[in-house]
Amino acid sequence: MRPVAVLGATGSIGRQTLEVIAEMEAEVAAIAARRGSRELWDLATAHPQARIGVAAPTPTERDQFGGLGSRVVFGDEAVASLAGEPGIIVVNAVVGVAGLKASLVAAEAGNRLALANKESMVAGGPVVGAALAAGGGELIPVDSEHSALFQLLAERKPGEVRRLVLTASGGPFRGMTADQVADVTPEQALRHPTWQMGPRITIDSATLMNKALEVIEAHHLFGFPYDAIEVVVHPQSLVHGVVELSDGALLAHFCDPDMRIPIRYALTHPERGTRRAPHFPLAATSLTFEPPDLETFPALRLGYEAGRAGGSAPAVLNAADEIAVQAFLTGRIGFASIAVVVERTLNDVPVGPVESVGQVLEADLEARLVATGHLGNSC
Ligand code: NAD
Ligand code: MG
């Protein structure tokens, strides 16, 4: 297997990627994170051949990591450039729109982009698509639902597929009313029933904004209209995606809620790797499905609206949510205010085109300023 660059190596997906790489005895080409933490230092020591990227080091971290010599780079641009080394697989496990540049660099260099960073596709889907076409790179999704759909859609002919279904666990507040979720705390929202993930995506799973972002991600990855992309709540998180075919057959992809499965597939595609685990306990498994509650979780509706508006609207949706989630985690706004801040920001920022990375980042910045302005009056 080709050497692998792991961007966002100290996060939930990054760590699991390093576990899979170790199991497969593959080579690590590069490792990057936002801060020069103790964990990144230990990874740099454990992988002496790997290039190391620190996106936003403190002066002390810069001194310490600088001691490792020319294999270390600092700053966002330099970290993104690690994705351009020829002949590698890039696992983009950065959180937030900060991951967009690395996706573009990997795509333009003709590398395989194993994409966990859904924000790249949400904010800059058309730009990433153009970079893949220009550079000859290939994108294999890591997000579990998109990995499922990618595998289900392989070898399907155009016209054979009627609709795509993404499943959602429903998060920790499934079954609650809008009044009941209004006062939930960050601690409660961070307790996800089925997945262990970083804080932003965990809160996004509790509001259903994660599914909103995933609907837009699916639209860009697979080219289906929004009317043909449905979300169903499936609390067991075992079925990750369903494809409904023209003849009425439904193909479902299911497996344990273990992100190492889609990570491994993104590395081995089109081959299948090996997972050392007992057989799936099929006879002891029940699967249930229910519709999402858009009244308690308006973020999903906002996702469809932003997706259908197109242009910069999804970038605005994502940026406003990044600001609102941070404000919720630090106690500045309540849970229900997350969607309020996002909706007000979408209303205030006009939709523009996203034909260049500059336009994406401009929309992102404007949305951050507008969303920050709404924090004070949303609670
Ligand atoms: P996390 O918060 O656990 O980790 C984020 C990582 O990104 C950290 O290593 C951090 O240092 C790094 N990072 C942040 N800003 C950076 C920058 N500017 N440059 C370089 N590195 C930077 O997040 P996570 O849960 O691992 O999620 C990562 C991405 O994968 C997100 O886009 C998320 O939506 C997606 N994803 C995660 C899961 C999951 O199970 N955790 C599942 C599907 C998709
Ligand atoms: Mg997902």
Side-chain angles (χ1 to χ4, degrees):
M1 201 175 79
R2 284 179 268 167
V4 187
V6 187
L7 311 182
T10 56
S12 157
I13 294 289
R15 283 190 214 120
Q16 294 179 81
T17 301
L18 287 165
E19 273 177 52
V20 173
I21 291 172
E23 266 170 36
M24 296 172 70
E25 297 180 5
E27 193 186 321
V28 177
I31 292 169
R34 198 173 94 80
R35 293 288 307 279
S37 59
R38 175 67 204 252
E39 187 177 356
L40 187 65
W41 181 260
D42 289 345
L43 289 175
T45 313
H47 299 281
Q49 323 302 335
R51 302 192 67 199
I52 306 296
V54 194
T58 62
T60 318
E61 290 166 1
R62 192 179 268 267
D63 281 351
Q64 183 195 4
F65 278 77
L68 294 174
S70 59
R71 74 182 176 111
V72 182
V73 298
F74 297 106
D76 274 328
E77 295 284 336
V79 165
S81 74
L82 296 174
E85 191 175 315
I88 60 170
I89 298 176
V90 176
V91 177
N92 187 346
V94 172
V95 62
V97 81
L100 174 61
K101 282 203 181 134
S103 289
L104 294 173
V105 171
E108 280 159 6
N111 284 331
R112 172 177 297 185
L113 172 60
L115 187 65
N117 177 260
K118 63 191 76 180
E119 297 88 345
S120 291
M121 289 315 284
V122 171
V127 183
V128 177
L132 287 164
E138 63 175 342
L139 190 161
I140 314 291
V142 168
D143 213 343
S144 53
E145 299 77 1
H146 304 77
S147 174
L149 293 172
F150 179 83
Q151 293 172 60
L152 291 169
L153 289 169
E155 293 166 39
R156 293 266 71 89
K157 296 190 198 82
E160 275 182 2
V161 180
R162 282 182 69 191
R163 68 173 177 147
L164 308 180
V165 183
L166 297 159
T167 55
S169 71
F173 308 131
R174 184 176 63 89
M176 284 168 68
T177 63
D179 281 349
Q180 287 170 326
V181 297
D183 299 323
V184 297
T185 63
E187 291 68 35
Q188 290 170 308
L190 284 169
R191 244 176 267 137
H192 194 277
T194 46
W195 297 99
Q196 290 297 319
M197 310 178 287
R200 196 248 168 147
I201 181 175
T202 306
I203 301 302
D204 281 348
S205 298
T207 59
L208 288 199
M209 180 59 85
N210 181 49
K211 219 42 61 177
L213 300 177
E214 291 185 356
V215 166
I216 299 169
E217 183 185 9
H219 167 78
H220 288 304
L221 285 175
F222 307 120
F224 280 72
Y226 286 98
D227 286 346
I229 305 174
E230 193 180 325
V231 170
V232 298
V233 172
H234 165 55
Q236 297 84 16
S237 296
L238 294 171
V239 173
H240 304 289
V242 177
V243 164
E244 184 177 334
L245 300 182
S246 53
D247 63 0
L250 286 103
L251 307 181
H253 173 104
F254 72 108
C255 61
D256 279 333
D258 175 349
M259 285 307 295
R260 288 168 297 192
I261 296 174
I263 291 169
R264 188 181 292 108
Y265 183 70
L267 298 178
T268 61
H269 166 84
E271 313 294 331
R272 312 293 315 198
T274 305
R275 177 185 191 230
R276 288 174 199 90
H279 286 301
F280 187 91
L282 199 50
T285 302
S286 306
L287 306 175
T288 60
F289 301 92
E290 62 197 48
D293 173 355
L294 297 186
E295 212 161 297
T296 306
F297 305 106
L300 184 57
R301 168 180 58 80
L302 296 176
Y304 276 98
E305 285 173 11
R308 289 192 170 105
S312 58
V316 170
L317 173 92
N318 174 66
D321 182 63
E322 286 192 27
I323 295 291
V325 167
Q326 198 51 37
F328 170 66
L329 285 171
T330 53
R332 254 191 99 179
I333 63 171
F335 184 78
S337 297
I338 299 174
V340 174
V341 169
V342 173
E343 182 152 29
R344 288 184 183 166
T345 307
L346 280 168
N347 289 339
D348 287 357
V349 180
V351 178
V354 287
E355 282 146 19
S356 67
V357 63
Q359 286 174 330
V360 177
L361 297 179
E362 240 170 69
D364 175 84
L365 186 61
E366 187 180 357
R368 279 168 200 275
L369 295 173
V370 171
T372 304
H374 283 308
L375 293 178
N377 53 15
S378 62
C379 323

